[in-house]
Each structure stands twice: as structure tokens, then as C-alpha cells.
Amino acid sequence: MMTGVAEDEDKWLAAGIAGLQQNAFYMHRAMDSNNLRDALKYSAQMLSELRTSKLSPHKYYELYMRAFDELRKLEMFFKEETRRGCSIVDLYELVQHAGNILPRLYLLCTVGSVYIKSKEAPAKDILKDLVEMCRGIQHPLRGLFLRSYLSQLSRDKLPDIGSEYEGDADTITDAVEFVIQNFTEMNKLWVRMQHQGPAREKERREKERSELRDLVGKNLHVLSQIEGIDLDMYKDTVLPRILEQVVNCKDEIAQYYLMDCIIQVFPDEYHLQTLEVLLSAFPQLQASVDIKTVLSQLMERLASYAALSSEVLPEFLQVEAFSKLNSAIGKVIEAQPDMPVVGAVTLCSSLLKFSLHVHPDRLDYADQVLGSCVKQLSGKGKIEDSKATKQIVALLSAPLEKYNNVVTALKLSNYPCVMEYLDNETNKVMATVIIQNIMKNNTHISTADKVEALFELIKGLIKDLDETLHDEVDEDDFKEEQCSVARLIQMLHNEDPEEMFKIICVVKKHILTGGPKRLSFTVPPLVFNSLKLVRRLQGQEENPFGDDESTSTKKIFQLLNQIVEALSSIPAPDLALRLYLQCAEAANDCDLEPVAYEFFTQAYIIYEEEISDSRAQVTAMHLIIGTLQRMHVFGVENRDTLTHKATGYSAKLLKKPDQCRAVYACSHLFWVDDQDNLKDGERFAIVCFLHFYCAFSGKLVLRIGAMCLS
Amino acid sequence: MVLVLALGDLHVPHRAPDLPAKFKSMLVPGKIQHIICTGNLCIKVVNPCRIEQLLSLRCECLAEEVHDYLKTLCPDLHITRGEYDEETRYPETKTLTIGQFKLGLCHGHQVIPWGDLDSLAMLQRQLDVDILVTGHTHQFTAYKHEGGVVINPGSATGAYSSITYDVNPSFVLMDIDGLRVVVYVYELIDGEVKVDKIDFKKTTTTTAH
């Protein structure tokens, strides 16, 4: 059925164009023979085609454009007629005899244009007459096009300051008055379209209205181009009149479009100075208007304006832009209690971006915005709506992107509160974004409180916030998250050992809440960070007056023991063994024999009780022997015990070749070149004997034996 | 002229967050013909494009498996297993022939005492190679030994080592041309990349057994 209508429309349009063209032809003939009477007759007939009610706006426009082109020629003809002696006043009179009102008014406007150009009467008078006469057409579509025609004709003929049509002292007022009146009438016609026709065609009507909106908006554009309008006039006359119409028309489509139009066509400087008036209109608009988008647009424009040059910044302060916008948003939200969460958050997000661009040094403003966001979200629990969630993430990301320094974002007291409202999934993603910001900007987090605050913020990654969800997490995603936490731990640093130790304690506290799945990722970086600290302290001499509370290598080793021990809950014996050996070596370098021995003992226990895979055992033995070989801190007894055990383990490895190699390696434990007390010839020989023993029952390279004995 | 990149002991993310930026900007795809890696790369990790799907945010420093990153530099990648590598399929040792040279690759924790030249020379004879590349000590070394060469490219990230203090990030680039190999070592010292080179010529007689 719809295609039927469309086909019909095409037919009517074709008929209309044909009629128009035919009359235009006769009109041209009349014009060529200077026959005014006939020219008027045929032009009126031609314009009658525009009286149709059968066309949609889109098709009517096509017809209108052809008429427009013809009227240009007619206008030129009128001009020539006046030069040939015809009085313009008479002509103005004459065209009003046309039979139907629509053609009459089109002709009148056309003559009016010539009349104004002749300057036989003040432009303002003619314009006033025309704009009033157009009231004769109350049909929305026809009226809109007629007034649009008037607007087009009059654009370059307004009595603006500096134009050739400038009038007396009130000239600007007259120009403004004309345009505003035309605008007001056009808007009324446009709004009336909403209520024409049956309810079931509402959607089609709204679409048609949308096609016509620029006709109405053009008037505002014309206003913005009038040279004579200064800030005061805009503030006192122009803006209030426009807003009055916008508010009073009580039409959702018009209000949204026109508010947006105002913001786009008038200069940002004006908006800044009229901020209060402009903002006061918003709560008065219809509840269904998408205010948040318009307000966001306004804030974005102002933010860009501020970004242009620092010279305009004092203006922002002077008009108290931030506080005005802040309270305006509050009023809007108050006036619309049913506004969905995404609306309130979008507004906060735009205001935050505004604040960050215009007042980057005012962290309190940013915090205020976050605070009002928290207020809006309170009582709602975790946000489910994905659009709202996206907006919250945009809100939280803005300070990170602006400052490129997480430490600054940590100063915003409401920041963690906003994060609380994200669902667990998004919370983790946001935490990862924060970590990546740190990595990208190489931000060093250097005090224990900042680390504490940071780890609180990213707690979604550090531990399970919700017991039940863990099974649903994707393996690879989980690994990626934990790796980024591991990288983060590398970024924590302070030159002062005391502070660094505090940082390590804070991190330990947090990662130990992570549960078995996370420890294998988070423990190693913390261990190595601690070992680096040990190395730093090694160089420093023991302070004889230092109190027991100060950081010492012993304290760090105690901590290390606790950290590595946590791996037993997973369990992760291979990793734990390696880390114990690393600690032992570090203790060796600090000359702490009991500590080193303890670490070795732990490593051996793990080897005996938990490492059963043969290949793992081989690697473990290499590490044990290699580490032990480098130990110089052990006294004879301890060294013997450890070496004896190592040799014993080696001989018991599963495969003969592995046994041989391991026992051979043990031989180095008895003979360390640079330490004379460790050259135990007797034991060395025993080991070599063991070696030959293995040789008879398996493969062996004989030259090794020869090397031993030399 | 065949370029071989030798590196290892990255320990990402246990001991270092990433390769130094200056190294990353130097290592571009398409210039290197072979990569040999002594081991201890990293944990296996996957590219999180999921974040982008969720948020449409730009994430500029996404983690990437070091293995995959190296593969983009050059598809011919050889790796041996370090004691912290999670990937169990890397071999303990590997040999390959490039031009006139036989190369051997091993992480080095298996050779005790760690870093001992004589013990490494044994491994070289055992694998029967001209150039032996090992790691573990995080200390760059290059020795001529009995007609062959023993190289340690150090740690590409400057990771902590119990064996070496003050580790500088380093890697090695070998230019193999006929019977001659030029070993370039790149070290990041105080924020600047310093280059050094050593020349080796393979004698026409075979390596000593």
C-alpha cells in the first residue's frame, strides 16, 4: 500500500511540474513581449501548483525549487519594468489582485524584493508588511516554504549596520524583529504538523518534520550573521526571545533541535556570557527531550573553546562556568526523576571532561563531579545497563588520559567510589586500563600509601570479589590480567630502603588475599623486588646505633620466607624450589649462614616430598648443585650435610645418564678453585669412584674421570 | 651475509616488565634471518583484544607473548628451555647449521659450575659445534676457545640475577659471512645503546675433538 502512495505522489509531482513548466513557458513569452498583465496572469497560474496538499515535504521541495527558479526570472522582469517607468508602488498593489492567496503572497514577496532594492521605502517597512501578510497561510507545509522563500529573499536586504539598507537608530532592532517574527511563525507552523492527521501516522509525520527542520533553523543562522548584534543585544533581546519560543512551543522535536541549533550557530563567547540564561531554559523543556546530549554538546564546545587559547580561561572563571554548569545539571536531574542512569552519568562525564580541559589544576572540581555521580548512582547497586557502564568507564578514563599520571587520579577521593558501581567484569577491565596507563607513562608509584590506594582500586584483579564467578573466567584473560599485575609490581620503587620495605609489605598483604590461582603470577615479581632491595642494603654498613625497627636484610629474608611459603597452598613446588634457592644465594651474599641454610633446607624438603617427575628432578638437581657450588658462607658441618644429601639425590635419579651427570656435577662441590678450604681430596676421590661405578652400568665419557684425577 | 639474533633471559614478567623501548625500536621485522634464544622468556600470555571489544578504548601497550613477538621479527626462531619457562616443549639443547657454521644453543643452568668456560667447552665438544650460545648468568661474554666461540648474550631485559650484579640489558647480533663471523653486542648502559664488535674467523681445519 505504501508503494501505491509513493507511486501516486510521483504522478502528482510529475503533473505539478508539467503544469508549472507549461505556465512558465507562457510567462516567458509574456515577459519577452513586455506584457506585464499576461506575465502576472501566467505566473499566478504557475504558482497555483504550489497550492497542492498531495505531496510529502520531500516532493514539495522539488516543486518549490522549480518555482523558485522561475520567480528569479520574474524578479528580473519586474526590475526592468520599473526602469521602463512602471511604479513599484503600483506593482506592489497590482499583484495583490491575484485570485488565490498563495500565489498572491509569492508574487508580493518577489515584488517586495525589488521594492526594497529600489529604496523608495525603508526596508523595515516592507519587510514588516511582508512578514505579517504571510500569516495568511496557516497550512504548515505551504506556510513553511512560503516563509522560507521570504527568508531567502530578505537575507541580503536586512537593515543591518553597514548594509546599504541601514535605517535609523533602531535599524538593528528592526532587522532582528523581522527575523525573529518569521522564525516564531515558522516554528509554530512546524510544531502544528505534529498534530495533523491520524495518530497511527505519527512516525511518518515526525520523519517529515525532521526533513523540514533546517527551514526553521535557518532563521537562527541568519540572526547569527547580523553584524549589528553585539553581546548586549544578544543577551537582552535575541536569546530571551528565541528561548521564549522554544520553551513555549512545548514540542519535543522542536526543543531538541532548536537548543542544539542555538549552541551551534552562536559564538562560544556569547554562550559563556549568557550561560545562566541558557541553562535556565533546560529544566523548562519537555521531559522527553534528550537534554543530556544537548548539554554535553554545549560543554564540549566550551571545552574546545578553552583549549583554543589560554587567554579565554579567565573568562571561564569570571562567569563561574563550572559551578553554573554543575548546578544546571543538578536541576535537570532533579526535574527528571525518571531519567535513566545512563543519562545522569553522561552528564557527569561531559562535565568532568569540561572541568579537566578548562580547569585542569582544580582537582577539587573533578572530585566534585565524581561525587555527584556517586550520589546519582547511590542505592542502585552494581550497574547492569551496558550503555551506562560504558559511560562510567569513560568517566573514569578521562582523568587518566588527561593527567597521564595515576597518582593524580588517586587523589580524587570519589574515584574508587565510582568504580564500586561497575560490575565485576568491567571493574577488572577498568583496573587493567589503570595498570596499562601506568605502564605507558612509566609512572613510578613511590610511597606505601599510594601503593595501598592503588591496590585497593585494582582489587578486582587482586582477589575474587565474588566467590561464585571465578569458574566463568576465561583462562587466557585471567593470565593476561595477572601478568599485568606482575608487571605493575615491577613499577613500584623507592630509593629509600625503609619506604621500599613498606611498599613490599603492602604488596605482600594484598597478593596473599589472591588465592592459589593468582600467587604463581604475583609471588615471583615480589620476591625479585625484595631481592633487589636486599642487594641495595648489602652495600650499606650495619648502623650500630640503628634501632631494631629499621629495615635489615634479616627482616627482608623473614618476609621472603613467608611469601615463598604461600606457594605451598597452590601447590607450586618447582617454582618454590627455585625461589628458595634464589633466596639462599642472596643470603649467602649477605653472609647470613643460618638464613641460607634454612632456605636450602626448605628447598630440599620440597625436592624430597613434592618433585616426582623425573625430568623435573633433573632440572631441580642442576639448580641445587649449581647454587650450592657457589655458596661460600657455609661452615664445614653445614656444607657437608648439604653436599652429602645432594650427592645422594643425584645417585638416585631415575635414568642412569642423568645420575652420572649429576654425580659428576657434585664433584665440583668438593673442589672449588678459588677457595682452598673447599678442596677435599678424599671426598673428591670417593665421588669419582661413584662416577666410575655408574660408568660400568651405563654410558659415560671416560675423559671426565681423567680430568678429575689430574 | 646472514644475520642471527641471539638473546635470552628476559624473565618477563617475573623480573622485568618488558624489553627496553630502545631495543624494541632497533629490532624490526625482515632484517634478521634467524633468532636463537637461550631461554627464560616469560609466562605464556595472550593478546587481550577482548578489552577493546568491551570498551572501544585504545590500549596501547598490550602484552604480547614474547615468543610471538620474536616470531614477528623473524619466523625462524629457535629456543631452548630455561628453568623458569612454562613451555615444556622447548628442548634442553639445540644445534643448527647456518652457512659454514654449526651453532649450539643451551640455556646453561645445566652446565655446572655456572659460567665456567671449561665446562662450557665440554658442552661445545659434546654438541660438536663451532659457536656455542648459552645464557643463565645474565652477563655478556664472548670467548675464543679451541678454534670455536662461546657466547653469552646476557639478559635482553637486564633482569635480576643472583650470579651477576648490575645487569645491563644486552643482546647479540651475529653476522655470518662465509668463514667469518662478526659478533656485535648491544648493551643498554645508562639509557644509551652501546655497540661493540668482535671478529672470529673459522680456521679451515675442523674444530678440535
Side-chain angles (χ1 to χ4, degrees), chain A residues 400-419:
Chain A
L400 291 179
E401 283 163 18
K402 172 71 188 171
Y403 296 119
N404 275 327
N405 187 335
V406 165
V407 175
T408 314
L410 287 175
K411 292 189 194 151
L412 301 168
S413 63
N414 286 308
Y415 197 94
C417 309
V418 177
M419 252 182 100

Side-chain angles (χ1 to χ4, degrees), chain B residues 159-172:
Chain B
Y160 170 92
S161 164
S162 54
I163 302 167
T164 311
Y165 283 47
D166 295 323
V167 181
N168 287 318
S170 65
F171 67 88
V172 155

Side-chain angles (χ1 to χ4, degrees), chain B residues 74-93:
Chain B
C74 161
D76 191 38
L77 175 63
H78 305 271
I79 308 180
T80 46
R81 187 156 182 244
E83 78 272 30
Y84 284 89
D85 279 320
E86 281 200 353
E87 174 60 81
T88 50
R89 288 171 299 178
Y90 298 150
E92 297 282 320
T93 63

Side-chain angles (χ1 to χ4, degrees), chain A residues 507-527:
Chain A
V507 177
K508 166 183 165 249
K509 182 183 79 170
H510 283 272
I511 65 173
L512 287 183
T513 62
K517 289 206 171 179
R518 293 187 174 80
L519 286 172
S520 56
F521 296 92
T522 53
V523 163
L526 188 59
V527 166

Side-chain angles (χ1 to χ4, degrees), chain B residues 48-67:
Chain B
C49 53
R50 179 189 73 91
I51 295 183
E52 289 190 331
Q53 282 161 14
L54 189 68
L55 294 177
S56 318
L57 289 176
R58 279 183 310 125
C59 293
E60 285 175 18
C61 53
L62 299 177
E64 185 182 17
E65 186 172 348
V66 175
H67 178 105

Side-chain angles (χ1 to χ4, degrees), chain B residues 88-103:
Chain B
T88 50
R89 288 171 299 178
Y90 298 150
E92 297 282 320
T93 63
K94 200 155 192 193
T95 54
L96 57 154
T97 307
I98 298 176
Q100 301 285 335
F101 286 88
K102 282 191 276 193
L103 286 89

